[in-house]
Amino acid sequence: MADFLQQVVSGLASGGIYASLALALVLIYRATQVVNFAQGEMAMFTTFVAWSLMERMDYWPAFVLTLLIAFAGGAALQLALIRPLQDAPVLTIVIVTIGLLIGLNGLARIIWGNEPRVLDSPFSTDPIRIGGVAFSVQDLGIIAVSLAIVVLLWLFFRFTKLGLGLRAAAVNPVASRLVGVRVGLMLAFGWGLAAVLGAVAGMMAAPPLGSFDQNLMQPLLLYAFAAAVLGGIDSPLGAVVGGLAIGVIVNLAGAYVDFVGADLRLPVA
């Protein structure tokens, strides 16, 4: 039972990362009906930005500054690349996001090179014992950060005028324009918010790996796709539940199903 609980908590920590990225996918899909294939590379790029900042300042100030940079970058990408194509066929926008994926990966290699980097974790790797079961402080910290992000987003969408405007623009852009909602601005804000969620996922995912490179988010994006589809591609709550479920199920399958192990977790998802 102790091993089982440890696997569940570890799975929830991974699932929290998948949920953040899945939620970013859902936010953009609800607003544009397009899956952003560059979401993972946007997260990877901001993780390298975070690494650069953390070389010069403490973790949490660099964390907050990275989120601000991610928001500005996500909004700018929407205004520069996606907004001019708002009347184009969906396939055109999909191809643009794939091109953005390739472009961001290449730009990251030009700026930071190919050597792996190490991102410090704000949480200790020491175990904490609860009822005789040892849990990693790092896993518990990742779960706490993920849940805090979800709660803040719920409060934002539920109780703020800007959050209600974002929801309205995603559900019915035509009616939203008629009542004064600036739909174009809301879409840019949504992309910025999605970039922030991706940045959180990247900064939480990199430390447990020990080192990371430009391929950091590629497998995580596939887990996030699975989570978003499992929970419903247009459901924010479903993305969170799907991410946590994928994290736990995949972790348990890897631990208890012999032929899965570490190699077949992604196909299981």
Side-chain angles (χ1 to χ4, degrees):
M1 180 55 69
D3 289 341
F4 176 81
L5 292 176
Q6 287 173 347
Q7 293 296 334
V8 169
V9 170
S10 179
L12 288 174
S14 300
I17 296 171
Y18 308 154
S20 297
L21 203 55
L23 193 53
L25 292 169
V26 167
L27 285 178
I28 292 180
Y29 182 83
R30 288 190 67 178
T32 63
Q33 299 300 299
V34 172
V35 173
N36 180 16
F37 287 94
Q39 193 70 61
E41 298 310 277
M42 290 167 61
M44 174 274 296
F45 196 90
T46 51
T47 304
F48 272 96
V49 170
W51 174 85
S52 297
L53 293 174
M54 289 173 193
E55 292 289 297
R56 297 165 176 81
M57 63 180 72
D58 292 337
Y59 184 93
W60 290 113
F63 182 91
V64 173
L65 184 54
T66 299
L67 298 188
L68 294 175
I69 293 172
F71 180 86
L77 287 173
Q78 195 279 336
L79 292 171
L81 297 180
I82 306 302
R83 188 171 183 177
L85 300 174
Q86 59 185 354
D87 297 323
V90 170
L91 182 59
T92 300
I93 304 177
V94 169
I95 294 300
V96 168
T97 66
I98 294 174
L100 182 60
L101 179 160
I102 298 169
L104 286 174
N105 191 283
L107 183 60
R109 294 181 188 277
I110 291 172
I111 297 173
W112 289 285
N114 293 320
E115 61 270 19
R117 310 288 179 170
V118 176
L119 189 69
D120 293 333
S121 174
F123 307 112
S124 169
T125 55
D126 295 336
I128 180 173
R129 297 190 176 275
I130 301 176
V133 181
F135 300 115
S136 166
V137 174
Q138 184 167 255
D139 285 346
L140 297 177
I142 292 173
I143 294 171
V145 169
S146 301
L147 291 178
I149 292 293
V150 170
V151 171
L152 288 174
L153 276 178
W154 179 78
L155 293 173
F156 171 75
F157 282 117
R158 181 67 178 83
F159 295 108
T160 69
K161 185 176 180 180
L162 183 57
L164 293 172
L166 276 168
R167 290 168 59 192
V171 172
N172 195 327
V174 175
S176 298
R177 288 188 178 96
L178 292 176
V179 296
V181 176
R182 300 177 63 183
V183 173
L185 184 62
M186 292 298 100
L187 294 180
F189 194 94
W191 269 71
L193 201 56
V196 167
L197 290 169
V200 171
M203 287 187 282
M204 292 295 104
L209 296 176
S211 64
F212 70 98
D213 58 15
Q214 285 79 6
N215 297 321
L216 167 67
M217 300 303 292
Q218 291 174 8
L220 296 183
L221 183 64
L222 296 178
Y223 284 117
F225 275 134
V229 172
L230 177 63
I233 192 64
D234 61 350
S235 170
L237 177 61
V240 174
V241 174
L244 296 175
I246 288 286
V248 171
I249 291 169
V250 167
N251 223 44
L252 292 177
Y256 294 109
V257 181
D258 291 338
F259 69 86
V260 173
D263 297 326
L264 293 180
R265 294 187 181 202
L266 191 53
V268 166

